[in-house]
């Protein structure tokens, strides 16, 4: 089963979990540096007190990336991460050499405050593209954040919010024969979510005692099945970063599968929370593509459907317009997803409105208004692979928020 | 210069042209068969009275296609087209064998009424997917349309409208040493416009005396540079059809280039009219990508920008958010469009807001509210190729129209 977002929230204490401080060996803080005009918290710091300081990260695949991404790619290359500093109020993208220096100096300041190497400090920024951050405000904010370090991971999760309406946190604790280990995390992002990540920052921490290459492998596997399967509006950000840090403070080195499963669950919970808080959405839409010839084929069809503005607008109107689902499936080239269009079934909230490419149950039997969650099943009748991609509907509020964002 | 949509409307009498009856040798009609609940005209017929009855067509590349597309592909295979019958009020897509029989019988009825072979009658349908058309209403409508045939091409253009607010027609007359020839056409489509055509029906007629293979070549070249460069909402339809018919009634066999240019101008005018009438749009947005390494590279970047909901929502808000332009350009893989992100300039309505990947002129200098047309230039500084793609902004009205369409 490849659907990791369905029961994603179970047992992860979504939104109330301390997130990055749930695992032993980590401190965090969230403070108001003054980067946001709104005066709300805008700077977060996550520190790994060890004994181990292993780290890995995945970044946006966009060719236009922010200075923090350029910096942080270098930081994680050696597998050592001592801290992550994150700011909202500006993405520091398309800001030239001075912008890069802003990120570099931020890491230096964190290093000085914590007594670690700047080269072990991951930097993340989110907000508007194309504007410099006020350097002194940024650097003073680092000192504030360092002074505020403690066990309040929720404060950190709150400080990285932009258009998010709630902080996103989750954690799971796993029992092993050698003792327990915990994986916890926080994320932000409420728009611009896309297949290759999106203005989405996420820090996951664990007290498991594992080396960086294992973290890297486990993290890539988890993000491919969670954040990569969330597509709010098809737009790929320039700043996406998901970092995974291990402190080793539990003294437990779990089997790889146990760690992978725990990281997957935390990432799935956070990804599901992102969908639930997407800008202006009134529905969370799960597109389940079943009986595809391969996972990549299923994924291609699911993404084609979740990227259709017409489909998403219909969901907003509580209109079970399965023709728009089928039309999107048909845009996927045959070599990418082999299937017979005249064999496809489409069900919406449990009602099979299209069978073998033709009308089946009456569309009036479908009730989309009853619940925020909408489930669409596209059965290709071509193979054994299944994939679920989560998305949102296209609403008046989405248009409003995104037409007014920078002004 | 590859921008055929800029001065597209010049000399083509947009909207007031008789369209398909501008060229000699053609009759047309538009009548109310009763397919639409609204009671407005819903069936059009275009007849080629010869002496030649050459024809060619291009269709949607969607794998899910309507019965009319399946039928009409067969019709044009031999290069002979005697008539085109078009209905609004239902797309006849995903309707099974009975739906195919509806299209077949429609062609038979046209053949009987005109004394031509059903196998030479192109059928086009537009409207909701997944619902059968009422067969008797359809067939009675054919008789009505045959009885009404005359020189009122505008009536035909009106009968194929769905959510269009105005009929789209255009024609040009060209002087050659051997006499004049005319190319005229009509189109419908106001949403679902996409790179590989869209719920877009278009019939172009000419009295030039040319054979079907020439028509086919000229038509493919014109659609690639016009309809394929209009992207209203990134959704690809199941019914798109563009047909080109030649009657030979002028007795003129123009040089291929002269015919190609005239067909291109008519297609460009119709494509530009589609953008101007796109569902719920408040801005027509031209994205000009310049100095790309190839036309395909430029096209990939332009389409990436015009498909961004965030960019399109910003335009609706009259917000010159060039960061969203740059971020979209960055989503195009380097092997598809080689360029250095730190060399890219972005201008909006003549103001260079981003130079070499960094902020340049203040964004407040850009006035997007003054005019319906918005021009964005993305200069890649990588080569000599340029492309323009036209799109629209993403508005509250788009969401409204597309959430309420089928209900």
């Amino acid at each position: 089963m490849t659907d990791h977002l369905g029961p994603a929230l179970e047992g992860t204490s979504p939104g109330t979990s301390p997130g990055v401080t749930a695992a032993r060996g980590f401190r965090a803080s969230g403070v108001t540096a003054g980067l946001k005009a709104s005066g709300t918290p805008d700077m977060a710091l996550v520190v790994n007190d060890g004994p181990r300081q292993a780290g890995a990260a995945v970044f946006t695949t966009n060719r236009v990336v922010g200075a923090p991404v350029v910096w942080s790619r270098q930081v994680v290359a050696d597998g050592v991460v001592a801290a992550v500093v994150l700011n909202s109020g500006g993405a520091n993208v398309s800001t030239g050499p001075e912008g890069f220096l802003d990120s570099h100096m931020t890491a230096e300041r964190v290093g000085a405050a914590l007594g670690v190497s700047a080269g072990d400090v991951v930097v993340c920024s989110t907000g508007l593209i194309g504007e410099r951050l006020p350097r002194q405000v940024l650097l003073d904010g680092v000192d504030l954040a360092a002074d505020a370090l403690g066990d309040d991971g929720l404060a950190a999760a709150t400080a990285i919010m932009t258009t998010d309406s709630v902080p996103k946190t989750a954690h799971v604790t796993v029992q092993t024969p050698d003792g327990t280990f915990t994986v916890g995390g926080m994320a932000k992002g409420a728009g611009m979510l896309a297949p290759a990540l999106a203005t989405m920052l996420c820090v996951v921490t664990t007290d498991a005692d594992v080396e960086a290459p294992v973290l890297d492998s486990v993290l890539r596997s988890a993000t491919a099945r969670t954040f990569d399967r969330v597509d709010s509006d098809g737009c790929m950000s320039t700043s996406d970063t998901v970092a995974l840090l291990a402190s080793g403070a539990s003294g437990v080195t779990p089997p790889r599968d146990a760690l992978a499963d725990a990281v997957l669950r935390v990432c799935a919970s956070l990804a599901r929370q992102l969908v639930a808080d997407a800008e202006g959405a009134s529905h969370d839409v799960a597109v389940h593509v079943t009986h595809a010839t391969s996972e990549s084929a299923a994924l291609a069809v699911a993404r084609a459907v979740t990227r259709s503005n017409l489909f998403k607008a219909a969901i907003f109107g509580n209109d079970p317009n399965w023709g728009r689902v089928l039309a999107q499936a048909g845009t996927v080239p045959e070599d990418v997803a082999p299937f017979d269009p005249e064999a496809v079934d489409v069900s919406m909230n449990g009602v099979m409105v299209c069978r073998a490419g033709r009308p089946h149950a009456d569309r009036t039997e479908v009730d989309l208004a009853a619940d925020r969650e909408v489930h669409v099943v596209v059965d290709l009748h071509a193979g054994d692979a299944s994939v679920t991609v989560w998305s949102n509907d296209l609403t008046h509020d989405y248009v409003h928020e995104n037409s007014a964002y920078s002004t």
Side-chain angles (χ1 to χ4, degrees), chain A:
Chain A
M1 185 57 189
T2 53
D3 175 6
H4 298 293
L5 291 172
L9 303 175
E10 281 169 29
T12 64
S13 307
T16 60
S17 160
V20 290
T21 54
R24 287 158 283 186
F26 291 93
R27 287 176 296 150
S29 62
V31 299
T32 301
L35 298 165
K36 281 180 176 169
S38 63
T40 50
D42 49 18
M43 181 159 285
L45 186 59
V46 181
V47 179
N48 182 353
D49 289 321
R52 188 189 279 281
Q53 291 185 319
V58 293
F59 301 97
T60 179
T61 58
N62 201 309
R63 288 162 68 191
V64 174
V65 296
V69 171
V70 176
W71 171 264
S72 298
R73 278 179 182 153
Q74 298 172 347
V75 169
V76 300
D78 67 355
V80 180
V81 177
V84 182
V85 60
L86 314 92
N87 75 272
S88 48
N92 197 8
V93 178
S94 302
T95 47
E98 286 297 310
F100 185 79
L101 193 56
D102 292 334
S103 291
H104 186 168
M105 291 179 72
T106 303
E108 292 280 0
R109 190 72 155 240
V110 172
L114 302 178
V116 302
S117 163
D120 296 333
V121 178
V122 166
V123 179
C124 303
S125 301
T126 177
L128 198 64
I129 296 174
E131 292 195 352
R132 284 280 309 283
L133 289 163
R135 185 178 290 168
Q136 200 54 50
V137 175
L138 199 60
L139 299 181
D140 291 346
V142 169
D143 294 341
L144 278 178
D147 288 344
L149 284 168
D151 60 2
D152 189 1
L154 257 182
T158 302
I160 59 175
M161 288 163 54
T162 51
T163 54
D164 306 64
S165 68
V166 292
K168 285 96 178 171
T169 57
H171 76 276
V172 294
T173 296
V174 181
Q175 182 74 48
T176 79
D178 303 324
T180 64
F181 75 94
T182 294
V183 176
M186 66 178 184
K188 65 83 34 180
M192 229 178 172
L193 296 169
L197 310 181
T199 301
M200 205 265 303
L201 302 179
C202 174
V203 180
V204 179
T205 59
T206 179
D207 48 24
D209 192 18
V210 287
E211 296 185 350
V214 175
L215 291 181
D216 185 71
S217 148
V218 158
L219 180 63
R220 286 178 194 282
S221 170
T223 56
R225 285 173 170 70
T226 55
F227 297 116
D228 273 5
R229 295 190 181 169
V230 167
D231 187 345
S232 170
D233 65 7
C235 294
M236 185 198 293
S237 152
T238 54
S239 307
D240 304 322
T241 304
V242 182
L244 172 59
L245 280 58
S247 69
S250 70
V252 174
T253 302
R256 186 191 178 284
D257 285 357
L259 178 65
D261 183 66
V263 172
L264 182 66
R265 286 180 59 196
V266 168
C267 287
S269 176
L270 293 171
R272 186 67 188 81
Q273 291 177 57
L274 292 178
V275 170
D277 195 27
E279 283 174 0
S282 69
H283 279 302
D284 304 343
V285 186
V287 175
H288 312 277
V289 176
T290 64
H291 296 110
T293 53
S294 67
E295 197 169 316
S296 65
L299 197 54
V301 172
R303 283 184 178 163
V305 174
T306 56
R307 280 186 200 169
S308 164
N309 279 350
L310 288 175
F311 165 70
K312 290 158 63 126
I315 298 295
F316 170 57
N318 294 315
D319 167 19
N321 194 322
W322 59 268
R324 293 178 180 175
V325 175
L326 211 57
Q328 282 303 112
T331 64
V332 179
E334 186 151 18
D335 58 340
V336 174
F339 64 87
D340 175 3
E342 299 196 356
V344 176
D345 303 333
V346 179
S347 299
M348 302 183 82
N349 278 1
V351 179
M352 192 183 288
V353 280
C354 168
R355 184 168 178 182
R358 292 171 234 171
H360 191 62
D362 195 279
R363 65 175 76 205
T364 58
E365 292 176 28
V366 182
D367 184 4
L368 298 181
D371 194 22
R372 184 176 167 100
E373 270 194 21
V374 168
H375 290 268
V376 178
V377 179
V378 183
D379 188 337
L380 299 179
H381 288 287
D384 296 322
S386 298
V387 156
T388 296
V389 170
W390 279 86
S391 186
N392 300 102
D393 52 352
L394 179 61
T395 68
H396 290 299
D397 286 350
Y398 175 89
V399 174
H400 178 72
E401 289 196 31
N402 287 298
S403 58
Y405 177 49
S406 81
T407 49

